[in-house]
Amino acid sequence: MEKQLHVIASDFVAFYRELSRHSLLTPERLNMDAFQAIFDRMHMEYLHYAGSSSTQPFHVEVVENVLQLAAAYLSLPTDVSPSSRAFGLYLVFFLYASQPSIDTSPVKVRVARGTLQSYLDDIADSVEDADPQPAFAAQLSRRVTDGEKRILLALHKAGAWHIMPFVDISVHLQTLLKVHDAEGVPLGRGGAKVQRQQHQMTNAVVSDTALSRELEAYEAMKRRLGLNDALGGN
């Protein structure tokens, strides 16, 4: 699996580099149209069909690896890797939407409830902060844009998330960090700090015993923050 993840990560890094080259990883410029234009031009959806043949057009485990590797970006601490979370969310959205048609149901994205909780907490902070500081203007960081809010809600409505108390993403995360560093496109201001904070986040999620009803808790958080009204939902 690690070899396959490395190949997928290499394409993710190339895509990330291209977005950066066009200065799209900022709150003002990152949007659905701009992201999709490069996603389509680089044919990122082809990753779902790696290892396919005339008798086996795709492999479910490949689709799972593609989605989970993309989702690993969501767990990176935003204070040391400001652009990763937004990039990962957009990537998850487009990869989920472009996955092959499967007889049973689409492959869901496993995500720790703590990861979504962190995202929703930052949405709450953004709503409360009526006058954002200039420091947020140059990078994404903890700022949550309207585009991200809409994607979060769209993925929720589509049933894309498989929310769990804990998801072991250690291999996926290590692969992303290594490949980004090897390709000269580091994700954070300090790789060791990223890994250290990720370890702390993992421990916090594992120790939380109040995660038995993941989806209900997510719904409660969504209602508490008024996401339906804020995003034009029902």
Side-chain angles (χ1 to χ4, degrees):
M1 183 181 77
E2 291 186 26
K3 182 178 180 180
Q4 185 182 97
L5 289 177
H6 190 281
V7 172
I8 297 169
S10 295
D11 283 337
F12 284 179
V13 173
F15 183 42
Y16 187 99
R17 179 190 287 113
E18 190 67 6
L19 289 171
S20 297
R21 190 173 71 84
H22 290 277
S23 302
L24 293 177
L25 294 177
T26 66
E28 293 77 18
R29 301 198 61 185
L30 183 61
N31 58 65
M32 296 284 280
D33 291 339
F35 193 95
Q36 184 174 7
I38 297 180
F39 184 94
D40 290 345
R41 176 163 58 80
M42 296 185 68
H43 301 292
M44 297 300 294
E45 73 278 7
Y46 288 2
L47 288 171
H48 289 306
Y49 301 93
S52 62
S53 66
S54 58
T55 58
Q56 186 78 33
F58 65 89
H59 299 275
V60 174
E61 61 269 21
V62 172
V63 178
E64 290 175 345
N65 283 335
V66 168
L67 290 173
Q68 290 308 131
L69 191 63
Y73 282 103
L74 302 178
S75 68
L76 287 164
T78 54
D79 59 336
V80 292
S81 187
S83 303
S84 297
R85 185 172 67 176
F87 170 77
L89 184 65
Y90 274 79
L91 188 59
V92 166
F93 177 81
F94 280 99
L95 288 173
Y96 179 82
S98 62
Q99 67 175 286
S101 297
I102 297 175
D103 292 337
T104 53
S105 62
V107 174
K108 292 180 179 289
V109 183
R110 297 189 305 277
V111 62
R113 178 175 169 255
T115 298
L116 290 180
Q117 174 73 66
S118 176
Y119 228 138
L120 293 176
D121 286 346
D122 287 345
I123 291 176
D125 291 343
S126 297
V127 171
E128 293 172 2
D129 186 3
D131 185 21
Q133 296 299 313
F136 284 114
Q139 59 187 21
L140 287 158
S141 191
R142 293 182 66 237
R143 174 176 175 179
V144 182
T145 65
D146 287 342
E148 290 172 80
K149 296 174 189 176
R150 294 181 187 280
I151 289 176
L152 279 169
L153 189 58
L155 287 169
H156 168 67
K157 287 184 173 181
W161 301 120
H162 179 190
I163 304 171
M164 305 172 67
F166 169 69
V167 180
D168 185 0
I169 59 168
S170 57
V171 174
H172 300 79
L173 193 55
Q174 289 171 10
T175 300
L176 286 180
L177 293 173
K178 288 179 181 178
V179 176
H180 269 270
D181 285 346
E183 296 291 335
V185 190
L187 284 174
R189 302 186 182 101
K193 187 176 181 181
V194 172
Q195 292 181 330
R196 183 169 61 252
Q197 292 200 18
Q198 172 61 25
H199 180 68
Q200 293 170 349
M201 291 167 58
T202 298
N203 287 341
V205 173
V206 172
S207 63
D208 188 351
T209 59
L211 304 178
S212 59
R213 303 180 67 185
E214 299 92 354
L215 185 56
E216 289 81 1
Y218 179 50
E219 286 281 9
M221 287 187 290
K222 186 162 67 73
R223 288 193 299 271
R224 174 172 60 83
L225 295 175
L227 278 179
N228 280 337
D229 294 336
L231 303 180
N234 296 323

